[in-house]
Amino acid sequence: MNAVVKVMIANIHKSTDINTELTDEALYGMPVEVLEDIDDTWVKIRTFYRYEGYTLKTNLHMESEDILTWIDANYVVIQNFADVLTRPKIQSSKIITLTLGAFIQVLKEADLDPAWTKVRLVTGEVGYVRSQWIQKRVKVYTTNELAFREQVVQDAFRYIGTPYRWGGKSPLGIDCSGLVSMAYMLNGAYIYRDAKILDGFPIRKIEKAELKLGDLIMFPGHVAMYIGEDLYIHSSLGGNEVNVNSLNPQHSEYREDLATTITEYGSIF
């Protein structure tokens, strides 16, 4: 990794044109590898979860010394939107707003009100954020299967009601694979960004009878997370937002178009 995202959300495009397809979003503080310096405006990058695309250079911080320091950015934002302020006081001015899933570096400050945490930004600037809005990053997922399953579903529900956005991965807008990959990422599991099972990533194919809480349900070009009792959470273009539907034809939230087109099921366990 030789660069870090320095804006709230860095759009990742299919090609070097802001009008081309948005394939992914990299959130603030996430490290990326610059694969190719295209021109004065664009670079080709690979994210730390191995997804490639093109982004604007202005989205990235590429000072080598700062990037080495940023390796210790071991906290993540868990609030939909979190302001980083100049002082530990709500009346102080805002430096930047971060979204759920952004990475941040925590600094210690003696006698600081515990309601506030001092943080370092990608550029080296220092600010303050409310303590309850961040938590330690989980970098490696737990082998406690039940705990993982329950937490990954809980984290998926953080996005409930979020508008559907193709290529999106934040509370401003999220797509189906963005939702499940972010829920897994918050729990230290880095799965493939798109709606399919790919060799080299931790999701493996399972049978329907094995389906448990937190497992994935695959459809043609779509993916959802199973939450038990024939229900699943997903970000659906047809539903316009992150919501819950059912596989049970007798349920009021049953969607026949999805329930009858399932291609496979996947699990990390």
Side-chain angles (χ1 to χ4, degrees):
M1 302 294 108
N2 54 10
V4 180
V5 176
K6 67 176 182 180
V7 295
M8 182 171 70
I9 300 172
N11 289 342
I12 301 177
H13 293 271
K14 192 172 185 178
S15 66
T16 55
D17 182 341
I18 59 172
N19 295 313
T20 58
E21 179 183 340
L22 179 69
T23 59
D24 193 13
E25 292 177 336
L27 306 182
Y28 185 92
M30 289 186 172
V32 299
E33 179 184 0
V34 175
L35 299 176
E36 185 179 354
D37 190 340
I38 304 298
D39 54 30
D40 291 341
T41 305
W42 291 91
V43 287
K44 183 178 183 180
I45 63 169
R46 179 189 292 134
T47 67
F48 68 96
Y49 47 91
R50 293 185 282 159
Y51 204 80
E52 297 183 9
Y54 299 86
T55 195
L56 297 170
K57 286 183 176 179
T58 52
N59 292 332
L60 305 178
H61 187 69
M62 292 183 275
E63 297 292 336
S64 58
E65 291 185 5
D66 291 337
I67 293 166
L68 287 174
T69 303
W70 196 253
I71 292 173
D72 295 325
N74 59 350
Y75 277 74
V76 62
V77 174
I78 56 170
Q79 175 76 2
N80 278 356
F81 303 100
D83 287 343
V84 179
L85 306 178
T86 55
R87 293 180 294 153
K89 188 177 180 180
I90 59 172
Q91 293 87 352
S92 58
S93 59
K94 181 187 73 175
I95 302 173
I96 190 172
T97 298
L98 305 180
T99 67
L100 172 60
F103 295 172
I104 195 71
Q105 187 178 51
V106 166
L107 302 175
K108 292 184 178 180
E109 181 176 314
D111 302 321
L112 180 63
D113 182 340
W116 294 91
T117 296
K118 187 177 183 178
V119 295
R120 179 185 181 274
L121 299 177
V122 171
T123 55
E125 198 170 1
V126 171
Y128 297 86
V129 67
R130 298 187 195 197
S131 300
Q132 65 184 19
W133 289 354
I134 61 174
Q135 69 179 23
K136 279 194 174 181
R137 282 180 59 199
V138 180
K139 297 183 180 181
V140 179
Y141 66 91
T142 176
T143 54
N144 183 324
E145 181 176 344
L146 180 59
F148 178 90
R149 290 183 181 280
E150 290 178 346
Q151 189 59 51
V152 79
V153 168
Q154 181 177 320
D155 285 330
F157 269 90
R158 293 181 186 275
Y159 296 90
I160 200 76
T162 297
Y164 181 89
R165 175 187 289 173
W166 182 273
K169 208 166 64 182
S170 84
L172 286 169
I174 200 164
D175 65 10
C176 62
S177 56
L179 172 67
V180 297
S181 64
M182 282 304 299
Y184 272 72
M185 186 185 299
L186 288 168
N187 289 280
Y190 308 120
I191 65 175
Y192 188 53
R193 170 66 170 87
D194 288 348
K196 61 182 178 181
I197 297 174
L198 191 69
D199 288 343
F201 289 84
I203 297 295
R204 66 177 182 86
K205 185 176 180 179
I206 61 172
E207 299 301 320
K208 182 180 180 180
E210 302 174 75
L211 193 64
K212 296 179 182 178
L213 195 74
D215 288 337
L216 303 185
I217 306 172
M218 303 288 178
F219 313 85
H222 187 57
V223 60
M225 180 184 294
Y226 186 65
I227 60 174
E229 299 182 349
D230 288 331
L231 300 172
Y232 57 91
I233 185 172
H234 63 144
S235 182
S236 165
L237 179 59
N240 297 318
E241 62 184 16
V242 177
N243 61 3
V244 172
N245 285 110
S246 176
L247 299 172
N248 183 349
Q250 307 305 315
H251 197 283
S252 61
E253 297 301 329
Y254 176 69
R255 277 189 56 175
E256 183 180 11
D257 62 319
L258 292 178
T260 58
T261 58
I262 295 171
T263 57
E264 57 188 355
Y265 305 90
S267 179
I268 202 169
F269 293 101

